[in-house]
């Protein structure tokens, strides 16, 4: 019999004996695997009745909820390409994503419906539907009225499952094409590697629009037939309350620094837990050590990108090293190369290249960019710089591309600089990341004002907030007479980082 390689099958099919089991705890509501099958069938039927077809994109710009999970699973089952977006995006940002992906429908909250409709009209998107956190909205109503029988599409795995966007140095986000096989291969490997069983209970506090929360956290739980507590967002108190009932937490480093500030975090509180995993941003050695001291648990750090899913991990059994992202996953090949593409010797620094079944097939409609994104022998160029120690552990030491990671969110300075440069009175801008105890890095704008012009900091921030999601808006604005440039005229961001790191220290002293 032909095996269905639809990712939905990897999550839910062949586990009928598990159907009565609770998959998702959502406050005082509990959803079994059978509920997920029924709910996703209803959403799949509702979308089909509206004329959304396999291969169409559906853009979900919604808050985290059980309805969001039904919708994601419904898209997989129907062969609809799921395009998740951060609901914090502003109209100008959403305009771009709709125009680029050309979805057949966009799903938003009722609160944003008016401006999303305008954006959809501009981009030629036919359908706008709503889905709120409380399970209401036009899509939810259509799903409620639909049936629970739906035949999951049979796929060979190469078909497109999701289109995730990541920005880039040019400031223009690129659609990452992920197939059913890319996602299934990675999640199966992780379930094995991290020892997931159907007894696991994961605390899910990550957003559902990124690889980390959607494919890794939710994916591992569903693939293993385990269960999770769905939190709206990160909340240290809520997590500490749930620890005694849970076995796994996945988070960005900010989760761990914030948990460490909570008096409720203790060895006793964590005694039922078997695994704390960190990723999406560098975990400071200090946090790693303090967490071990407070809880007795050694955080497992791993590394990935949206283009590849997870690529390396510290071991489940064996030494987990501070500041290291571990070894390549069993089915993933990682090379570290110099500028000429030659592999560097042990302990040499170079760019990380990744190849394996997890690696995406290219960016949406960007043939030219795709040619440069892979090496001739099929490795994806991550743009991250790393080194490998003699035992095979990899350390990420920097980024070849200009990028900031704030609280696990990637921020591309170019995108913010383009907005700043349009503001009257700003003659030049440079956006940098400075070390931040809470967010890892915080976004800082260094500005040169036009002569005789007095810039109003609050006005700049307020203006940016109407154009950019909040996590991209600079938390600090600095004014300088001129930006340091090299002989080629390129802004020397290293110098700026040094100067403002120093200034910040002096201010604190
Ligand atoms: C929210 N704000 C932020 C951030 N998030 N500012 C800077 N950096 C952020 N990451 C701003 C909001 O705009 C708001 O600003 C204010 O902070 C409070 O908002 P709130 O929603 O309450 O924020 P929070 O709860 O403090 O959120 C911080 C957070 C969250 C918990 C770190 O950002 C988070 O869950 N991050 C995880 C992101 C993630 O999943 N990354 C994985 C992507 P104002 O007050 O001005 O309105 S990478 C990935 O998937 C790869 C492949 C991988 O390897 O994992």
């Amino acid at each position: 019999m032909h095996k269905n390689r639809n990712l939905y099958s990897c999550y839910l099919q062949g586990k009928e004996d598990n159907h009565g089991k609770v998959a998702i705890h959502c406050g005082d509501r509990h959803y079994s695997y059978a509920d997920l099958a029924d709910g996703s069938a209803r959403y799949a039927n509702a979308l089909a009745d509206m004329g959304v077809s396999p291969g169409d994109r559906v853009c979900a710009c919604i808050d985290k909820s059980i309805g969001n999970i039904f919708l994601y699973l419904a898209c997989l089952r129907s062969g609809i390409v799921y395009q998740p977006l951060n609901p914090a995006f502003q109209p100008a940002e959403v305009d771009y994503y709709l125009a680029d992906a050309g979805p057949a429908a966009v799903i938003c909250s009722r609160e944003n419906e008016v401006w999303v409709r305008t954006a959809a009209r501009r981009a030629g998107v036919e359908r706008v539907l709503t889905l709120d956190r409380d399970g209401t909205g036009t899509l939810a109503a259509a799903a409620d009225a639909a049936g629970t029988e739906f035949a999951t599409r049979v796929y060979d795995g190469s078909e497109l499952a999701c289109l995730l966007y990541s920005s880039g140095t040019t400031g223009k986000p690129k659609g990452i094409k992920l197939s059913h096989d890319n996602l299934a291969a990675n999640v199966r490997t992780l379930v094995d590697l991290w020892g997931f069983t159907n007894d696991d209970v994961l605390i899910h506090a990550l957003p559902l629009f990124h690889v980390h929360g959607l494919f890794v956290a939710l994916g591992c739980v569903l693939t293993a037939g385990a269960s999770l507590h769905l939190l709206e967002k990160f909340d240290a108190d809520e997590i500490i309350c749930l620890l005694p009932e849970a076995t796994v937490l996945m988070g960005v480093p900010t989760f761990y620094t914030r948990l460490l500030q909570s008096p409720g975090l203790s060895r006793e509180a964590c005694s039922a837990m078997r695994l704390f995993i960190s990723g999406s941003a560098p975990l400071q050695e200090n946090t790693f050590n303090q967490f071990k001291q407070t809880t007795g648990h050694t955080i497992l750090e791993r590394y990935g990108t949206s283009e590849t899913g997870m690529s390396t991990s510290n071991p489940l059994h064996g030494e987990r090293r501070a500041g290291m992202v571990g070894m390549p996953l069993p089915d993933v090949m990682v090379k570290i190369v110099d500028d000429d593409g030659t592999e560097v010797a042990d302990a040499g620094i170079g760019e990380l290249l990744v190849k394996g079944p997890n690696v995406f097939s290219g960016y949406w409609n960007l043939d030219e960019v795709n040619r440069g994104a892979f090496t001739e022998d099929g490795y994806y160029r991550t743009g991250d710089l790393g080194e490998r120690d003699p035992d095979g552990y990899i350390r990420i030491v920097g980024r070849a591309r200009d990028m900031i990671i704030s609280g696990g969110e990637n921020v591309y300075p170019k995108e913010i600089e383009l907005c700043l440069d349009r503001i009257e009175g700003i003659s030049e801008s440079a956006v940098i990341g400075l070390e931040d105890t809470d967010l890892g890095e915080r976004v800082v704008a260094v500005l040169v004002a036009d002569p005789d012009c007095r810039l109003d900091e609050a006005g700049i921030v307020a203006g940016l907030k109407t154009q950019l999601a909040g996590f991209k808006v600079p938390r600090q604005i600095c004014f300088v007479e001129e930006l340091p440039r090299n002989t080629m005229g390129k802004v020397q961001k290293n110098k700026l980082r040094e100067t403002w790191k120093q200034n910040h220290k002096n201010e604190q002293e």
Side-chain angles (χ1 to χ4, degrees):
M1 196 180 81
H2 178 77
K3 194 166 172 286
N4 190 357
R5 293 175 72 162
N6 188 310
L7 177 62
Y8 177 82
S9 301
C10 165
Y11 288 163
L12 263 92
Q13 281 180 344
K15 296 182 188 144
E16 280 67 22
D17 50 342
N18 207 21
H19 262 194
K21 181 184 166 169
V22 172
I24 297 181
H25 302 272
C26 209
D28 51 12
R29 304 285 301 268
H30 311 283
Y31 300 88
S32 67
Y33 276 85
D35 293 333
L36 293 187
D38 286 354
S40 59
R42 286 183 192 279
Y43 275 70
N45 281 319
L47 290 168
D49 290 346
M50 290 172 202
V52 183
S53 311
D56 284 347
R57 275 77 58 212
V58 162
C59 174
C61 191
I62 46 179
D63 288 326
K64 189 175 175 183
S65 70
I66 186 73
N68 186 351
I69 293 176
F70 290 153
L71 172 64
Y72 165 57
L73 297 175
C75 288
L76 296 178
R77 298 185 76 169
S78 321
I80 292 169
V81 180
Y82 185 67
Q83 184 202 358
L85 287 189
N86 187 337
F89 283 146
Q90 297 300 305
E93 293 167 299
V94 171
D95 269 348
Y96 177 86
Y97 295 110
L98 296 184
D100 195 65
V106 53
I107 324 294
C108 63
S109 63
R110 272 186 287 193
E111 190 188 343
N112 292 342
E113 187 180 356
V114 171
W115 68 257
V116 172
R117 275 196 185 281
T118 312
R121 208 171 304 122
R122 272 197 294 266
V125 178
E126 270 180 54
R127 304 167 190 83
V128 177
L129 299 153
T130 57
L131 178 58
D132 274 342
R133 191 176 273 151
D134 63 1
T136 61
T138 53
L139 178 60
D144 286 345
T148 56
E149 290 297 316
F150 186 87
T152 299
R153 277 186 86 79
V154 178
Y155 274 161
D156 70 15
S158 62
E159 298 83 357
L160 196 53
C162 293
L163 192 60
L164 246 65
Y165 275 79
S166 92
S167 289
T169 38
T170 57
K172 286 241 180 294
K174 301 191 288 283
I176 299 163
K177 295 192 289 180
L178 294 160
S179 70
H180 288 260
D181 265 355
N182 290 150
L183 301 169
N186 205 227
V187 75
R188 285 203 174 99
T189 301
L190 295 175
V191 163
D192 281 351
L193 194 73
W194 293 338
F196 268 90
T197 70
N198 60 4
D199 288 330
D200 272 310
V201 182
L202 177 137
I203 303 177
H204 197 296
L206 288 159
L208 277 174
F209 47 78
H210 285 308
V211 165
H212 198 165
L214 188 61
F215 306 137
V216 185
L218 176 67
C220 280
V221 165
L222 297 183
T223 304
S227 59
L228 61 81
H229 288 274
L230 195 74
L231 272 53
E232 262 173 38
K233 55 188 284 223
F234 175 85
D235 180 319
D237 293 339
E238 223 178 320
I239 290 180
I240 287 178
C241 276
L242 286 170
L243 285 172
E245 297 169 36
T247 61
V248 183
L249 174 71
M250 289 188 193
V252 296
T254 302
F255 282 23
Y256 295 105
T257 49
R258 290 189 184 175
L259 283 171
L260 278 166
Q261 282 163 18
S262 171
L265 188 76
S266 64
R267 267 171 198 263
E268 207 197 347
C270 297
S271 60
M273 291 289 290
R274 69 169 186 92
L275 192 55
F276 290 91
I277 301 178
S278 176
S280 314
L283 180 72
Q284 298 304 319
E285 290 193 23
N286 199 10
T287 312
F288 178 93
N289 292 331
Q290 271 186 31
F291 201 83
K292 195 169 180 175
Q293 220 170 19
T294 310
T295 66
H297 283 273
T298 310
I299 299 174
L300 181 154
E301 188 174 4
R302 55 49 174 192
Y303 159 81
T305 64
S306 298
E307 285 83 350
T308 62
M310 301 303 98
S311 294
T312 75
S313 171
N314 271 283
L316 178 67
H317 306 292
E319 192 190 350
R320 298 177 199 159
R321 296 193 181 167
M324 301 275 194
V325 295
M327 274 88 60
L329 305 192
D331 53 352
V332 177
M333 288 177 286
V334 176
K335 277 208 281 196
I336 303 182
V337 300
D338 63 18
D339 290 346
D340 301 330
T342 314
E343 271 195 78
V344 298
D346 278 351
I349 293 177
E351 185 181 1
L352 256 72
L353 307 184
V354 179
K355 187 173 173 176
N358 52 321
V359 177
F360 78 132
S361 57
Y363 297 107
W364 178 254
N365 288 341
L366 288 172
D367 293 343
E368 189 62 32
V369 177
N370 287 336
R371 275 190 280 279
F374 296 92
T375 61
E376 269 172 22
D377 53 350
Y379 280 79
Y380 165 62
R381 301 178 204 269
T382 64
D384 289 321
L385 301 176
E387 61 185 344
R388 197 186 314 238
D389 78 4
D391 299 332
Y393 284 74
I394 293 171
R395 180 196 298 278
I396 308 292
V397 296
R399 295 159 213 139
R401 296 167 193 157
D402 190 14
M403 184 182 89
I404 299 165
I405 310 183
S406 167
E409 292 287 357
N410 293 356
V411 179
Y412 290 85
K414 187 76 193 168
E415 188 184 0
I416 302 156
E417 288 160 6
L418 289 172
C419 291
L420 286 165
D421 294 343
R422 283 198 295 265
I423 297 176
E424 218 183 300
I426 294 179
S427 76
E428 284 186 294
S429 67
V431 170
I432 55 172
L434 289 185
E435 207 178 299
D436 187 277
T437 45
D438 180 42
L439 297 167
E441 284 182 298
R442 70 176 175 286
V443 179
V444 175
V446 185
L447 305 179
V448 179
D450 284 337
D452 307 323
C453 189
R454 286 204 48 191
L455 286 169
D456 153 35
E457 214 174 293
I460 294 172
V461 168
L464 288 179
K465 279 191 170 177
T466 64
Q467 297 171 61
L468 298 168
F471 69 88
K472 300 179 193 169
V473 176
R475 299 223 155 185
Q476 186 185 343
I477 293 191
C478 314
F479 294 99
V480 292
E481 294 287 313
E482 61 177 346
L483 295 173
R485 290 182 185 273
N486 65 14
T487 46
M488 309 289 287
K490 194 168 179 280
V491 176
Q492 293 168 302
K493 292 200 170 176
N494 280 345
K495 279 201 174 160
L496 281 178
R497 277 190 285 268
E498 264 319 302
T499 312
W500 290 98
K501 190 166 93 188
Q502 258 344 97
N503 283 4
H504 186 64
K505 267 199 193 140
N506 295 344
E507 273 169 28
Q508 284 185 325
E509 277 161 15

